[in-house]
Amino acid sequence: MNMEMLALEILDNTVLKKTVLVFFCGFLFWKIVRYMCGLLKVDKEPVTILVTGAAGQIGYALVPMIARGMVLGPNQPVILHMLETEAGFEALKGVKMELIDAAFPLLKGVVITTDVVEACKDVNIAVMVAGIPRKEGMERKDVMSRNVSIYKAQASALEEHAAADCKVLVVANPANTNALILKEFAPSIPEKNITCLTRLDHNRALGQISEKLNVHVSDVKNVIIWGNHSSTQYPDVNHATVATSNGQKNVRELVSDDYWLNNEFITTVQQRGGAIIKARKLSSALSAASAACDHIHDWVVGTPKGTWVSMGVYSDGSYGIQPGLIYSFPVTCDKGEWSIVQGLKIDELSREKLDKTAQELIEEKALAYSCL
Ligand SMILES: NC(=O)C1=CN([C@@H]2O[C@H](COP(=O)(O)OP(=O)(O)OC[C@H]3O[C@@H](n4cnc5c(N)ncnc54)[C@H](O)[C@@H]3O)[C@@H](O)[C@H]2O)C=CC1
Ligand SMILES: O=C([O-])CC(=O)C(=O)O
């Protein structure tokens, strides 16, 4: 029998036909069940999210946002783990009562504790807010010694008890250096899973451009925060655009005021945290909580095509930044992973600013180790 006839024989075989039909029907049935489950919202396992320092200013603003689906979307149930100190525990009990009273449909469980091991158990996402905020007149690194020791202590609990693929976002200041300490004292957590929050600065930069041009903030995109979440950060608009009726236009061209962009715009974004502390006598809890939601949301769900965001991530040497620092870069996210946007042109002024903020991170790292 030649090959052609053999192939015809196989195709003609009724057993084979039936098998193919059964597989096809099974596949179709599975697709329909998944679709129906999606409609009925019944198939998703809850995701466990840890918030440390959960009774504090940011924690109090953040946990209802998470419970409402602002981080993982309206169809994803969540379980909240909330960690506090002994001194903060009474207030945390109140936060739990309020979460119950808010009757959030997505909230499938709440654990409150002062035990870091219990807090970290099986968490899929950890938002590390615990720490002392700076007061008026202080720089963020002034809270270094108290805060880095918290991150050293909590690193091993996360490493040993969180889910193996847990994503970590460090919010507490000095955010980049706390994240670096956490990474160094939790060596088995992949470095790609440890990040820090510079999305607040990114959103502040979008807000300033939107105010200046009197356009909606959602029409502005691709600003960049380079470096440290500190007053040396570099808010860069050289690649930023605004959506107009004539397509995407470059922010520099539209603003048409390089002096403002290279001076007042940069210092306003760099100093915005301080300005809010001066006004509120408390740190920027509402916008920080919202930015933390944006950070995790985009990391998990992905960034829209053609758009990047700023995240403090482990430097691989991109743009000449010393590998191993946690440095804010422009990143895109896809399938739960971030990648640094490559190939952007860096002019001379930008180069200086990228290096200055990297230098501060190198010095902060040395200072952090001297505090431990
Ligand atoms: N990366 C960013 O964009 C921003 C960072 N921050 C920083 O976030 C941190 C938190 O700020 P706020 O919520 O305003 O401060 P907060 O003082 O209101 O809250 C911090 C909470 O952490 C708790 N805490 C302290 N040590 C702890 C520990 N070892 N374990 C568990 N809980 C602990 C405290 O009891 C307190 O309830 C500060 O370091 C602040 O500077 C604030 C705004 C923006
Ligand atoms: O400035 C602070 O200390 C709080 C903070 O990090 C911010 O608002 O960016």
Side-chain angles (χ1 to χ4, degrees), residues 168-170 175-176 179-180 183 191-199 225-229 295 299 309-319 321-333 337-342 361:
V168 182
L169 165 62
V170 177
N176 302 53
L180 185 76
K183 184 190 83 61
E191 55 216 22
K192 69 178 169 44
N193 286 20
I194 298 178
T195 63
C196 82
L197 188 71
T198 55
R199 182 62 176 268
I225 303 299
W226 298 97
N228 199 0
H229 174 65
H295 176 114
W299 189 2
V309 293
S310 302
M311 281 171 69
V313 297
Y314 189 77
S315 171
D316 59 355
S318 292
Y319 296 99
I321 301 305
Q322 179 176 303
L325 293 177
I326 303 274
Y327 189 96
S328 180
F329 287 100
V331 299
T332 53
C333 304
E337 305 234 335
W338 53 263
S339 332
I340 298 172
V341 176
Q342 298 295 335
L361 282 169

Side-chain angles (χ1 to χ4, degrees), residues 52-60 83-89 91 113-114 116 128-135 140 143 146-147 150-151 153-154 170-175 178 196-201 204 229 273 277 280 282-285 287-289 291:
T52 68
Q57 288 284 315
I58 297 175
Y60 187 70
L83 178 70
E84 259 298 342
T85 56
E86 295 289 345
F89 194 64
T113 182
T114 57
V116 69
M128 312 297 284
V129 188
I132 301 163
R134 67 171 168 152
K135 300 279 172 335
R140 294 180 182 103
V143 290
R146 296 282 295 279
N147 287 351
I150 296 176
Y151 286 83
Q154 294 182 349
V170 177
V171 175
N173 283 314
N178 286 340
C196 82
L197 188 71
T198 55
R199 182 62 176 268
L200 175 55
D201 312 289
R204 286 168 172 161
H229 174 65
I277 292 173
R280 264 173 42 84
L282 291 166
S283 60
S284 33
S287 50

Side-chain angles (χ1 to χ4, degrees), residues 66-98:
I66 296 173
R68 224 172 228 297
M70 280 179 62
V71 171
L72 299 176
N75 297 332
Q76 177 58 63
V78 290
I79 294 173
L80 271 171
H81 282 198
M82 302 197 287
L83 178 70
E84 259 298 342
T85 56
E86 295 289 345
F89 194 64
E90 218 29 54
L92 190 61
K93 285 184 190 165
V95 178
K96 179 175 178 180
M97 286 186 236
E98 286 203 73

Side-chain angles (χ1 to χ4, degrees), residues 69-73 291-303 333:
M70 280 179 62
V71 171
L72 299 176
C293 292
D294 290 342
H295 176 114
I296 302 278
H297 174 274
D298 289 353
W299 189 2
V300 173
V301 176
T303 43
C333 304

Side-chain angles (χ1 to χ4, degrees), residues 72-340:
L72 299 176
N75 297 332
Q76 177 58 63
V78 290
I79 294 173
L80 271 171
H81 282 198
M82 302 197 287
L83 178 70
E84 259 298 342
T85 56
E86 295 289 345
F89 194 64
E90 218 29 54
L92 190 61
K93 285 184 190 165
V95 178
K96 179 175 178 180
M97 286 186 236
E98 286 203 73
L99 286 169
I100 292 167
D101 296 349
F104 293 112
L106 291 173
L107 189 58
K108 299 297 174 198
V110 179
V111 173
I112 58 170
T113 182
T114 57
D115 174 4
V116 69
V117 169
E118 188 186 3
C120 293
K121 186 112 190 61
D122 299 330
V123 300
N124 306 106
I125 294 170
V127 190
M128 312 297 284
V129 188
I132 301 163
R134 67 171 168 152
K135 300 279 172 335
E136 203 174 333
M138 292 163 87
E139 280 296 318
R140 294 180 182 103
K141 60 186 166 201
D142 295 336
V143 290
M144 174 85 75
S145 68
R146 296 282 295 279
N147 287 351
V148 286
S149 53
I150 296 176
Y151 286 83
K152 181 183 173 192
Q154 294 182 349
S156 44
L158 267 179
E159 182 174 42
E160 283 170 36
H161 302 284
D165 60 350
C166 178
K167 288 180 160 53
V168 182
L169 165 62
V170 177
V171 175
N173 283 314
N176 302 53
T177 299
N178 286 340
L180 185 76
I181 294 300
L182 196 152
K183 184 190 83 61
E184 302 218 338
F185 287 91
S188 70
I189 302 182
E191 55 216 22
K192 69 178 169 44
N193 286 20
I194 298 178
T195 63
C196 82
L197 188 71
T198 55
R199 182 62 176 268
L200 175 55
D201 312 289
H202 182 100
N203 290 350
R204 286 168 172 161
L206 295 176
Q208 288 304 306
I209 298 298
S210 125
E211 292 279 296
K212 179 78 173 172
L213 292 172
N214 198 19
V215 295
H216 196 269
V217 71
S218 59
D219 289 333
V220 189
K221 66 173 189 178
N222 294 353
V223 296
I224 304 169
I225 303 299
W226 298 97
N228 199 0
H229 174 65
S230 76
S231 51
T232 66
Q233 67 178 261
Y234 172 39
D236 175 1
V237 294
N238 288 334
H239 312 275
T241 58
V242 176
T244 71
S245 49
N246 293 322
Q248 297 288 334
K249 296 278 178 220
N250 182 272
V251 162
R252 240 180 223 286
E253 278 167 31
L254 288 178
V255 171
S256 185
D257 183 351
D258 280 348
Y259 187 80
W260 182 82
L261 282 172
N262 294 345
N263 294 280
E264 196 180 325
F265 163 74
I266 292 180
T267 48
T268 301
V269 177
Q270 287 173 332
Q271 306 291 342
R272 191 66 157 187
I276 287 162
I277 292 173
K278 193 158 184 281
R280 264 173 42 84
K281 311 291 175 236
L282 291 166
S283 60
S284 33
L286 176 162
S287 50
S290 177
C293 292
D294 290 342
H295 176 114
I296 302 278
H297 174 274
D298 289 353
W299 189 2
V300 173
V301 176
T303 43
K305 199 167 182 300
T307 303
W308 62 65
V309 293
S310 302
M311 281 171 69
V313 297
Y314 189 77
S315 171
D316 59 355
S318 292
Y319 296 99
I321 301 305
Q322 179 176 303
L325 293 177
I326 303 274
Y327 189 96
S328 180
F329 287 100
V331 299
T332 53
C333 304
D334 186 32
K335 299 190 181 74
E337 305 234 335
W338 53 263
S339 332
I340 298 172

